[in-house]
Amino acid sequence: MSKVDNESPTPPEVANSQVPERSTRSIEILVAVCFVISVLATVGLAVTYWLGGQPQVEGGLLFATLGGIGVGMVAWGKYLVPQGPYVQERDTIKSEILERQALLESLDRGSKAVGRRPFLGKLMGASIALFGLINLFPFLRSLGPVPKKALTTTPWRKGSAVVGPDGKQVTSSTLEVGGVMTVFPSNDVGGAISQTVLIRVGTANWTTRPGRETWGPLGYLAFSKVCTHAGCPVGLYEELTQQLLCPCHQSLFDVLTGATPVFGPAPRPLPQLPIYFDSNGNMHAQAGYDQPVGPGYWERP
Amino acid sequence: MITQTTDWFDERLGIAKFTRKSLNKIFPDHWSFMLGEIAMYSFVILLFTGVFLTFFFVPSSKLITYHGAYLPDRGHKVSEAFASTLNISFSVRAGLVMRQMHHWAANVFIAAIIVHVCRIFFTGAFRKPREINWFVGTGLLVLAIVNGFLGYSLPDDLISGTGLRIAYSIVLSVPVVGSYLGFFLFGGTFPGNAIIPRFYTLHILIIPGLIIGLLTAHLAIMWHQKHTQFKGKGKTNRNVVGVAMWPAYAFQAGGFFFVTAAVIAALGGLVQINPIWLYGQYVPYRVSYAVQPDWYMGWLDGALRLMPSWEIQAFGHMIPNVFFPAVLLPGITFTLLGAWPMIERKITKDYEEHHLLDNPRDVPWRTSLGVGILAFYVVLFFASSTDVLANSYSLSLNFVLWAFRVLLFVVPPLAAFVAYKVASETGAVSTTGRRKRILIISRSSEGEFSTTETALRAPMHEEVIEELPEEIRYHAIKDGHEELASAIAVGAPSGGSTISTNDVDLGPLQSGGTGVYQIPRTPRGGTGDPRGRISRRDKRE
Ligand code: HEM
Ligand code: FES
């Protein structure tokens, strides 16, 4: 902003002390040095590249190469060419009133000629709209299947064998008390929605809630590992507090009461998977999850 | 030679008039006008480095056994996307620098856009006739954020994969159509095999294409409407005062592109970013501790964390928790942002054209509103590190969460209040923002000190904008067409042209066009009429 003093000029000696005379000679030298640095750095860059490259050296040399050109050009453009200030008047943006009227007339002329046949106009509109609509549908539809049951069910079924990430069958002795692991149904190892966290909280059957008396044999509890908030794997188990922590937004689930959320944004408990041990001590699912796992969606009842 | 070339083109395209006008175009000179330029230059760098990456990146989630240069991952199953990103980082010459420059440029790009938007907002540059460019700019901001997120997701590493999982849940949460949207966008359930190739097409073709289109419109409109300028001596609502496009502006702007590129190159070479080999391949059931997105996603992450655990369930339908912070909040944010010129017009009832910028302190209400809103997002941004804060300061997570929930509603009004006070009080002091005056301190014979300013100042607000004062002696620029020059120099008193040796005529504009004048500079040392002087140091404040 201009701060020209209208009332009294700054005393000359003050003005002089604040605006050092800049000699164009020294600027010319500066600009030349910048360009020379740039050339040298580019040569260095070529050599580095030829020798096989090294990220830090490349970054540094690129900095010098580009920076040399840049500072040289800016200095040249700022101190060695006329700066004005120049004044340019603005064009009026809007057109003359006659110009606008002429536009309206031209528009009108066309609309009248076309408007004479309203039926054809509607027919044309309808055919284009129909084309758009009908073609949009298969295009969208080919992008993916419709959801159907994919969101409500998981690959867990009655009797599914419970296996670890390596595909090994989980048995009654797989975990120590306080141990935790991720398990899957044997037909979907590594599956994103069937991932289940298995925790051993004790050695006796554990009932998390009324109606779940048989769900936790020998202190093993299995919960969906998909966070009910935004779907992250609920990966961290704190044995001391018997809580599961979701690292994404810090929701905490209380394991012993059925993974009810006690902190953070998660709105619902993690669904519990009912499990049992067969006569050989191998773990199976009594049934699939009794509700959709993971975060909510519109159709979720 | 030059004559031949220009003639050759002019005979075929008739461009002499337009090109001439463009070369003589005047650009106001203010540092804050460079913010948009930084954004544009970073985008150009994104294009260059991005094209380089496309030569080596394989957009596929097919699992292969890794045999590349990064020893710890040898023999592991990784996706082709992950393996090729490792390959770019460790085996392709200059690959890591390019990849890191690409990522840094993305961060600089979005940061520059946001600061640029703040500049436009606080100075009122969005007012009529520039509303269209404000809408276009809002679109650019959204596209830039989206493309940043898409790019971040491509390497298929553990952190970006977790981010994608959250994005999928957010899409699912949209009422009515959410699950269909999610399935069509991701090609089925998460994760599937479609995401990476699809996001690749979006990331390198569709969104950049849209950005280029909007950016072109943005610049063309700005070119056509001319820049705004801050108030100051000789500057009116009907003119532009500054440097000429050719050569001063062209050299400064061109050079500044290289400076931006140099800074991004230094970051890309020296400051590590997104070391995906430390995170590892994305595996849906694995998660790393302290998941953090790129900075421009921080506010959304923070909002997800601070949202209470509510969820609406009624009539057999559900509006999930994430809908509120991650769909509704950004929806409202960008709608309000885009609609701001209309909202402000509703408030001010101002239908005039504005080419002169507001000094933020002269419009305290807008300034304080802007500061308050910014503060809201800044709190959200910091809330995205609740876990890190709790750990580093050994606080309970519970405490940190509640502290942020309170801060979210306390800080913005407080910040707005302070901004209002600062703006209106400094606006009222005539000397704020002025160059410091030299005080002469004198001591009287009794030993008391007194100070005298070297010169008196006219009160701030009297200095605001006036028409070009008569005493400023313009000279219409001549290049041999004397009659033309005087015909154009309407209103500019003829004669009297004292220009310093360094300044050169720009030449007359074509008849009927707008005149370009030069304000004569008085020779240094102040022998000329000081009232007509705009010296460089004055202008640059
Ligand atoms: C709006 C502009 C753009 C933004 C904000 C952006 C941002 C990003 C980000 C943050 C990444 C992750 C890089 C990493 O750390 O691995 C990325 C990756 C990538 N981008 Fe872009 N980008 C943009 C434009 C482009 C363009 C125009 C192209 C190509 C024509 C491109 C090609 C790529 C490729 C191939 C990758 C994957 C390679 C890798 O991850 O190493 N980008 N982008
Ligand atoms: S995804 Fe688990 S808390 Fe957000």
Side-chain angles (χ1 to χ4, degrees):
Chain A
M1 265 182 44
S2 156
K3 299 283 190 279
V4 178
D5 194 335
N6 280 338
E7 298 306 307
S8 57
T10 320
E13 55 300 350
V14 175
N16 273 342
S17 65
Q18 287 182 345
V19 189
E21 270 300 324
R22 225 183 258 282
S23 111
T24 49
R25 186 83 198 130
S26 59
I27 303 282
E28 278 163 10
I29 292 170
L30 171 78
V31 173
V33 167
C34 285
F35 290 151
V36 170
I37 289 178
S38 169
V39 170
L40 293 180
T42 306
V43 172
L45 203 57
V47 173
T48 315
Y49 191 81
W50 186 60
L51 291 178
Q54 204 282 337
Q56 281 80 15
V57 176
E58 284 162 359
L61 288 173
L62 265 176
F63 174 73
T65 299
L66 298 164
I69 300 177
V71 174
M73 277 178 77
V74 171
W76 191 342
K78 250 189 140 46
Y79 303 114
L80 298 179
V81 297
Q83 298 292 311
Y86 300 102
V87 183
Q88 179 174 31
E89 283 180 8
R90 284 180 192 280
D91 304 302
T92 311
I93 288 181
K94 68 175 178 208
S95 320
E96 300 287 333
I97 198 84
L98 285 176
E99 198 72 52
R100 287 204 219 175
Q101 276 166 0
L103 168 68
L104 283 183
E105 274 162 29
S106 293
L107 270 177
D108 234 31
R109 178 167 44 79
S111 332
K112 277 215 191 86
V114 178
R116 218 172 286 148
R117 299 184 176 81
F119 177 69
L120 286 188
K122 275 178 202 147
L123 206 58
M124 183 178 80
S127 55
I128 293 175
L130 194 69
F131 175 81
L133 216 78
I134 297 298
N135 279 283
L136 189 68
F137 181 72
F139 176 68
L140 266 185
R141 184 62 184 74
S142 336
L143 283 177
V146 288
K148 289 198 184 128
K149 288 197 143 176
L151 286 173
T152 46
T153 57
T154 69
W156 287 105
R157 296 280 173 281
K158 180 167 190 243
S160 292
V162 177
V163 300
D166 49 4
K168 267 208 209 111
Q169 172 69 49
V170 175
T171 65
S172 52
S173 58
T174 301
L175 286 182
E176 306 279 318
V177 171
V180 58
M181 73 186 291
T182 307
V183 296
F184 303 91
S186 52
N187 60 349
D188 188 36
V189 178
I193 50 167
S194 55
Q195 55 176 303
T196 295
V197 57
L198 186 70
I199 303 165
R200 191 161 191 194
V201 296
T203 46
N205 286 1
W206 185 269
T207 306
T208 52
R209 292 186 193 190
R212 296 187 179 177
E213 285 76 11
T214 63
W215 290 20
L218 303 181
Y220 280 95
L221 297 176
F223 298 101
S224 164
K225 201 179 171 185
V226 188
C227 185
T228 55
H229 177 230
C232 287
V234 184
L236 306 170
Y237 172 60
E238 280 186 58
E239 199 195 336
L240 204 66
T241 51
Q242 301 280 24
Q243 283 172 337
L244 276 168
L245 171 70
C246 178
C248 284
H249 316 101
Q250 282 70 52
S251 286
L252 278 178
F253 300 89
D254 183 38
V255 171
L256 296 183
T257 57
T260 41
V262 289
F263 179 80
R268 273 170 284 113
L270 301 168
Q272 187 175 355
L273 185 76
I275 46 178
Y276 71 94
F277 290 101
D278 67 13
S279 47
N280 301 327
N282 291 337
M283 189 186 283
H284 295 269
Q286 294 180 27
Y289 284 106
D290 61 351
Q291 53 179 298
V293 300
Y297 49 95
W298 177 251
E299 294 88 349
R300 193 183 197 280
Chain B
M1 182 55 213
I2 290 195
T3 328
Q4 273 173 13
T5 320
T6 51
D7 284 355
W8 195 91
F9 275 106
D10 193 50
E11 276 157 25
R12 282 153 189 85
L13 300 169
I15 46 159
K17 189 171 156 181
F18 174 77
T19 314
R20 168 108 203 291
K21 205 175 164 187
S22 306
L23 294 180
N24 282 354
K25 196 176 171 59
I26 300 302
F27 288 84
D29 197 7
H30 191 269
W31 62 266
S32 68
F33 296 162
M34 291 192 318
L35 297 166
E37 284 179 29
I38 298 180
M40 183 171 69
Y41 299 151
S42 330
F43 180 64
V44 173
I45 293 159
L46 281 167
L47 290 179
F48 279 125
T49 52
V51 169
F52 179 91
L53 293 177
T54 59
F55 296 148
F56 309 101
F57 181 71
V58 184
S60 151
S61 42
K62 197 174 136 217
L63 291 181
I64 53 169
T65 309
Y66 182 72
H67 294 298
Y70 184 63
L71 299 180
D73 271 355
R74 280 223 180 137
H76 288 253
K77 286 264 178 227
V78 296
S79 68
E80 288 186 302
F82 187 79
S84 62
T85 310
L86 286 184
N87 184 39
I88 292 173
S89 311
F90 293 110
S91 306
V92 176
R93 267 185 220 185
L96 184 62
V97 172
M98 286 292 171
R99 195 179 140 244
Q100 296 196 140
M101 273 178 76
H102 192 72
H103 205 133
W104 272 115
N107 282 331
V108 171
F109 180 46
I110 298 172
I113 297 179
I114 291 174
V115 185
H116 171 67
V117 173
C118 291
R119 198 286 277 174
I120 305 291
F121 178 87
F122 286 113
T123 59
F126 53 81
R127 290 171 297 172
K128 189 180 169 188
R130 293 185 177 73
E131 300 96 326
I132 302 175
N133 249 0
W134 175 269
F135 306 146
V136 173
T138 312
L140 280 168
L141 172 61
V142 176
L143 288 176
I145 292 178
V146 169
N147 216 36
F149 181 77
L150 293 174
Y152 189 79
S153 306
L154 290 180
D156 202 23
D157 60 282
L158 192 51
I159 292 203
S160 72
T162 310
L164 272 179
R165 168 70 241 208
I166 298 174
Y168 185 74
S169 310
I170 292 171
V171 176
L172 276 189
S173 79
V174 175
V176 188
V177 292
S179 42
Y180 288 84
L181 219 57
F183 269 62
F184 293 164
L185 192 62
F186 287 74
T189 49
F190 186 85
N193 291 322
I195 310 174
I196 289 185
R198 260 181 209 183
F199 278 21
Y200 187 63
T201 310
L202 286 169
H203 179 77
I204 70 159
L205 180 71
I206 298 178
I207 312 261
L210 290 174
I211 291 181
I212 289 172
L214 284 185
L215 193 60
T216 312
H218 202 69
L219 296 177
I221 292 174
M222 184 218 68
W223 191 272
H224 179 66
Q225 295 179 331
K226 298 197 170 76
H227 271 292
T228 50
Q229 60 191 352
F230 280 98
K231 293 166 186 169
K233 193 75 167 178
K235 300 177 181 179
T236 74
N237 208 25
R238 298 255 36 99
N239 71 8
V240 191
V241 177
V243 301
M245 164 82 189
W246 182 251
Y249 183 77
F251 266 67
Q252 289 172 20
F256 198 59
F257 166 75
F258 286 98
V259 173
T260 312
V263 172
I264 290 175
L267 287 169
L270 305 174
V271 189
Q272 186 181 65
I273 190 165
N274 205 16
I276 54 152
W277 52 93
L278 299 183
Y279 312 149
Q281 162 72 33
Y282 175 62
V283 180
Y285 58 87
R286 258 193 223 134
V287 72
S288 70
Y289 182 64
V291 189
Q292 224 108 45
D294 260 356
W295 74 270
Y296 46 84
M297 287 298 192
W299 62 288
L300 280 177
D301 194 41
L304 280 168
R305 291 176 188 220
L306 295 195
M307 178 74 196
S309 59
W310 300 331
E311 193 162 74
I312 296 178
Q313 232 168 333
F315 310 112
H317 289 294
M318 174 181 273
I319 298 184
N321 178 282
V322 291
F323 170 75
F324 303 100
V327 180
L328 198 61
L329 175 72
I332 293 175
T333 302
F334 291 114
T335 309
L336 284 185
L337 183 71
W340 177 254
M342 276 99 82
I343 300 172
E344 175 163 324
R345 168 159 313 167
K346 277 263 177 315
I347 301 168
T348 59
K349 303 269 186 294
D350 180 352
Y351 296 92
E352 295 302 310
E353 261 184 38
H354 292 278
H355 303 288
L356 281 176
L357 296 172
D358 288 330
N359 187 323
R361 68 168 172 263
D362 292 339
V363 195
W365 73 271
R366 188 206 286 136
T367 304
S368 66
L369 188 76
V371 168
I373 291 174
L374 269 184
F376 180 80
Y377 292 100
V378 170
V379 175
L380 283 183
F381 172 78
F382 282 108
S384 71
S385 48
T386 41
D387 51 338
V388 180
L389 287 174
N391 275 347
S392 3
Y393 297 101
S394 338
L395 300 166
S396 88
L397 210 49
N398 198 26
F399 171 79
V400 177
L401 181 83
W402 275 102
F404 270 107
R405 281 179 180 165
V406 172
L407 287 177
L408 186 63
F409 294 99
V410 170
V411 171
L414 211 65
F417 175 75
V418 172
Y420 191 88
K421 275 287 169 209
V422 170
S424 45
E425 310 244 315
T426 55
V429 177
S430 63
T431 51
T432 338
R434 293 181 155 208
R435 199 152 28 90
K436 293 276 181 301
R437 306 304 310 272
I438 290 179
L439 288 180
I440 296 171
I441 304 174
S442 41
R443 194 174 172 196
S444 68
S445 48
E446 282 92 52
E448 280 189 18
F449 289 94
S450 65
T451 57
T452 332
E453 274 198 56
T454 44
L456 279 171
R457 285 260 164 193
M460 169 75 193
H461 287 292
E462 282 174 28
E463 205 215 354
V464 195
I465 198 61
E466 317 123 31
E467 287 301 302
L468 284 169
E470 279 280 315
E471 324 85 74
I472 296 187
R473 288 156 299 168
Y474 314 97
H475 71 287
I477 296 115
K478 314 180 198 86
D479 65 350
H481 306 275
E482 299 285 339
E483 25 359 290
L484 246 181
S486 51
I488 293 156
V490 233
S494 53
S497 53
T498 31
I499 43 167
S500 68
T501 44
N502 206 14
D503 289 340
V504 179
D505 291 351
L506 277 182
L509 278 179
Q510 63 299 318
S511 49
T514 50
V516 176
Y517 314 109
Q518 188 174 33
I519 302 177
R521 289 207 268 156
T522 35
R524 301 235 158 92
T527 47
D529 176 8
R531 313 191 73 192
R533 200 174 84 187
I534 296 184
S535 75
R536 290 198 29 76
R537 75 196 149 83
D538 284 326
K539 189 168 60 69
R540 275 199 299 171
E541 274 177 72

